[in-house]
Each structure stands twice: as C-alpha cells, then as structure tokens.
Amino acid sequence: TSYLSVSAGGTGKSTMDMQNTATYTLLATAGLDSPWDFVGDPNDDAGTENHWKIFSGEYPTMEWEESIPILTTDVAISITQTTAASGGNVLSEGGNVTTRGVCWGTNPNPDVSGSHTDDGSGAGSFVSDITGLASSTTYYYRAYAINSDGTVYGDEHSFTTLELASPTVTTATASSVTRTSALSGGEVTADGGLAVTARGVCWSTVPNPTTTSNTGITSNGTGTGVFSSDITGLNNPVLYYYCAYATNSMGTSYGEEYSLCTLPNGSGTEVDPYLISDLNSLRALSKNSSIWDAYFKQTADIDASDTENWNSGEGFSPIGNLTTNFTGNYDGQEYEIDGLYINRPSEHYIGMFGF
C-alpha cells in the first residue's frame, strides 16, 4: 500500500497513514473496528495490555515484553508451630517490579492486604520467612509481584503448622568423671512452639531419672541450644544413670539415658594406684577409658556373676579396645575374679582385657 490509495483487498492506507497513530486509535477510521492499545498512548481505551508501540515516522511494532509480571511460588519448607519458609521466582517483570514477596492467610486467595512479606524488587528468585502463625492451622499462601500495572500472584499452595509439643532435647555423654563428679549437658533442638523455661541434667542410682524422682538435678538456663551441666555430689565407686531434660508449658521431655561409674579410690599413680576392691570398682575401670593408662591394684576377691545382666545381655565390656588400648598396669595380687560374663560373638579380642 506504499503511497497508493487503493489495494487489491479493498480500502488501503498510505505509508503516511500507517505511520500515524491516529489511524489506529480513532474509530472513525475506515476499516478499524476498535482502537488499538498503544504503550503510553493517551487514546488507549481498548484494554490494559499495551502490547503495541509506534514511533514517529515508523510502523506499529509489537511490545514483546509483558506489561504484568510472571512469577511462581515456592513450596513451603521448614514448617514449625509458628513459622515456615517459602519464596518465589519473578520470571518476567513486565515493567519494573517494585515489590515482591509472599502473602498468606487462613482462607484461599490471600492478597497483599493481609499478612505478607516484602522481599525486595526486580526479577529472579527470592526467599520469604512466614512468621506469626498459629499452631495446628492450615494456611494458604502465594507469591506476589507489583509493578506499575498492578499486582500479580503466583500459584497458590497450602500447609498446616505443627501441633504444640514439649521440647526436643538430646543428652551429652559424660566426661571428666572423677570420684565425686562428672560433666554432661545436652542440647534443646526444638522448643515445641513454646518457650523453654527450664533445662538441665538429672541423675539417679536407678534407671529413668526424672525432674521429680532423682538423686540430683541441675538447672542450666532456658531456651534452645547447647548447655553444660556439672554433675556433683556423687559417691564412689557407684553406677549412676543420667539424662538431659527440657520443660515448656506443654510438659517436660528427656534426652537419651546414659550411665557413668565414678572412679575408685586412689589417684592412678604407681605409688597410689586405683584400688579395685569390688564389682563396682571393676565396672569403673571398664567404663572409663580415660584412665586406661593408669596403675590399678586389686585388693579382694570379686564375685562378677552379676555381669550376666549388664549391657542388655552382652555382659562385661572389655578393658581396652581398638580406639583406646589399655596401656596401664593391673596388679591382681593373686586375688580372683569369679563369674565374669561376656557374650559378644561378633566382636574380636574379647576378655577381661581387650586391646
């Protein structure tokens, strides 16, 4: 139709007509059923997509960049009683994305008028911390992005927060065992959605010590995290059972239960050896590898028949192993140890002394 007034298909347009915005925006133009929507054109009344551009002296061209953002929503992870993590990915801005984030609520189709995060601007991935949630509640969430054309939302997902619970705690195995003390502790790894108001270690000479039934107990602060506990006031040589505990308003939880045996009398030197006078002092030698390089002297005959009930039927645990050899000195002084029981068929180098 260049510089012609008639085309083979009917009424044509000249080059000057086709390079004039008015040709496409005025309904009075012959052959035009409705106005075109041009980017930034004041006569744009055919829609809000604004995909067309025209410059002075040129033909209309498509504006390939979308005018509204395109984005996705990340599936929520790290869900607790009161928090979760999500995010999204702005694949296309469609124009400057000034704000992006995640919105959530207890009803479908949450929007930015309710709870939401503000996680920067522009295209690309982002991470959102969803906070202030109620326990045992289903939440709907979706990513959002805002530019000059409005607010667009990503795909919607849902999750249910965890129930409130007592804390989760682990027990640290005892170290620095002496005749009257030891060092333990633990770690509160989860608070159950409520404040941890007490934590520590409890111990007893019988299994399953608790905060209300024990020989001794420590109090080592509040909250989550690692803590240390000094176990003191012990007798010797005595077997003690111990475990960590943590308390919130839902109750008290306990970590793994372990046992320790306080050291026998003596200091472990050649002139003042540890004295092995009964089965408990022999057990102390077996359980405390930290003294396997010391001097020991047996001072009486020992009935070891009860070892049949030790270690879930495995019996006596040999003195010395592949990790820590026995390099000390044991003087039996011609006393006997009778009825020592060991049932460890899958282990090697088994006896009262191992390695």
Side-chain angles (χ1 to χ4, degrees), residues 219-251:
S219 178
N220 304 112
T222 60
T224 58
V226 176
F227 60 92
S228 296
S229 304
D230 291 320
I231 301 175
T232 58
L234 307 180
N235 295 317
N236 80 303
V238 176
L239 180 69
Y240 289 93
Y241 300 88
Y242 65 97
C243 62
Y245 72 88
T247 302
N248 66 13
S249 59
M250 289 293 289

Side-chain angles (χ1 to χ4, degrees), residues 169-189:
V169 60
T170 61
T171 305
T173 54
S175 61
S176 304
V177 179
T178 71
R179 290 193 295 272
T180 60
S181 66
L183 178 64
S184 180
E187 180 179 6
V188 180
T189 57

Side-chain angles (χ1 to χ4, degrees), residues 328-346:
N329 181 283
Y330 188 94
D331 183 1
Q333 296 195 111
E334 299 186 357
Y335 288 107
E336 295 182 356
I337 297 175
D338 184 50
L340 189 72
Y341 180 83
I342 301 175
N343 180 26
R344 299 168 183 267
S346 63

